[in-house]
Amino acid sequence: MRIVADSSCDLYSCDYSDFITVPLTVYTDERSFCDDENLNVTEMLDYLEKYKGRSYTSCPSITAWMQAFEGAEEIFVMTVTSALSGSYSSAVTAARQYKEIHPDVRIAVIDSLSTGAEELLAIRALIRFIHAKQTFDEVEENIRTYLKKSRLFFSFFSLHNLAQNGRVNKTVAAVLNALVITVTGTATSEGTIDVTGKARGEKKSLEMLYREMIKAGYHGGRAIITHTENEAGAARLRELILNEWPEADVHIFPTRGLCSYYMERKGVVVSCETD
């Protein structure tokens, strides 16, 4: 079985050999940044901090998805939330067109209704299901159930790029940015972004994230933390978790280009299994 994901999964490779990512792209009126293994995320963020014009993102093309399907007989596709990106729609169209040419191929396109850490958490679950020798139908059923029991929470120092692209309210973003307030929030069950709190200082915001995990039903299971140039903040959140549950399975990953663009510098995201 092959796993194909868009680049919002924050992975370039993993411990599963048949894994492919398809890049999204960040654009300005002057430059473009393809979110592949050649992207220098720091250079992109430096440029965007100085750039005064508009910036936006673009999902993978149908052709790019179809190229990623080539040669596989059973394929699981994981995408960023359809509520905020056309990636899922593009993948669905690609799967339909590919099956018209290859009718015996099986393709399941999974809308994560999230991004980044939660997409990564789901991919790791997919790998466990496949390694357990489950059938294609069993894997599909189990991953869809799994995504109903995972959650995502974030702490951002800026909402500028999210607001510029219509992902959050521009007025709210402007006020919070002007006050230099760290914003916390979550991915809703519909796959949208909900700003749930604000804090002065990273320490308080990470503690808020930890409390939100507990309230959602986290009890020391698997968790993924991603960060945009903030390894110290990610490590601090991991420490909070392990202080309560020393045996918890918690991993930290840096973000790729797409998530770095929306999280902006110092952003931290955590996704966890819940009851």
Side-chain angles (χ1 to χ4, degrees):
M1 296 181 190
R2 175 171 296 169
I3 299 174
V4 182
D6 60 36
S7 60
S8 69
C9 71
D10 285 330
L11 287 174
Y12 292 101
S13 61
C14 62
D15 58 358
Y16 184 73
S17 59
D18 202 358
F19 174 73
I20 297 174
T21 63
V22 182
L24 290 93
T25 305
V26 176
Y27 287 96
T28 72
D29 291 334
E30 298 176 349
R31 294 184 61 179
S32 64
F33 300 89
C34 181
D35 189 12
D36 60 17
E37 64 276 3
N38 298 311
L39 177 64
N40 184 321
V41 172
T42 298
E43 192 273 334
M44 180 189 77
L45 293 173
D46 286 343
Y47 168 80
L48 290 170
E49 284 183 352
K50 298 174 184 176
Y51 181 71
K52 301 303 181 184
R54 66 170 185 152
S55 60
Y56 55 97
T57 60
S58 176
C59 68
S61 68
I62 293 170
T63 299
W65 284 115
M66 292 179 69
Q67 289 174 344
F69 300 159
E70 286 288 347
E73 297 181 356
E74 295 181 325
I75 307 165
F76 286 95
V77 182
M78 185 71 62
T79 78
V80 63
T81 174
S82 60
L84 301 176
S85 171
S87 187
Y88 173 75
S89 177
S90 179
V92 168
T93 301
R96 183 179 67 248
Q97 293 184 8
Y98 193 81
K99 285 179 63 65
E100 289 174 356
I101 303 170
H102 306 280
D104 294 332
V105 172
R106 302 197 68 185
I107 307 176
V109 183
I110 312 295
D111 181 355
S112 71
L113 293 175
S114 191
T115 187
E118 191 164 10
E119 202 174 331
L120 200 162
L121 192 71
I123 289 169
R124 290 167 68 92
L126 267 178
I127 294 170
R128 292 195 301 275
F129 299 151
I130 293 170
H131 282 166
K133 306 299 184 182
Q134 295 181 6
T135 66
F136 184 91
D137 290 336
E138 288 171 337
V139 173
E140 181 176 5
E141 179 182 1
N142 287 334
I143 194 59
R144 293 188 186 279
T145 300
Y146 184 85
L147 278 165
K148 294 177 181 178
K149 297 181 179 181
S150 60
R151 291 289 304 276
L152 178 141
F153 304 97
F154 64 82
S155 171
F156 295 166
F157 281 76
S158 172
L159 298 177
H160 176 267
N161 290 340
L162 283 167
Q164 190 177 54
N165 287 270
R167 272 56 173 179
V168 297
N169 183 280
K170 288 186 177 181
T171 302
V172 171
V175 171
L176 293 174
N177 289 348
L179 295 174
V180 196
I181 290 175
T182 306
V183 177
T184 59
T186 186
T188 69
S189 58
E190 295 80 26
T192 57
I193 294 172
D194 184 20
V195 175
T196 58
K198 55 186 182 293
R200 287 195 178 275
E202 183 175 63
K203 181 180 179 180
K204 288 184 178 180
S205 69
L206 294 175
E207 290 171 350
M208 289 175 67
L209 285 194
Y210 175 70
R211 289 195 296 270
E212 288 297 318
M213 292 172 66
I214 306 306
K215 186 169 31 174
Y218 177 74
H219 294 296
R222 297 180 180 89
I224 297 289
I225 302 170
T226 60
H227 67 91
T228 302
E229 298 190 349
N230 191 2
E231 188 171 355
R236 171 58 182 156
L237 180 56
R238 184 175 186 269
E239 182 182 2
L240 287 172
I241 296 169
L242 295 181
N243 282 343
E244 180 68 24
W245 292 285
E247 303 302 319
D249 185 8
V250 186
H251 296 271
I252 296 173
F253 294 86
T255 51
R256 287 179 58 165
L258 190 281
C259 287
S260 295
Y261 171 75
Y262 283 116
M263 290 166 60
E264 302 185 56
R265 278 199 164 104
K266 297 188 70 177
V268 173
V269 169
V270 60
S271 180
C272 60
E273 297 175 341
T274 64
D275 292 340

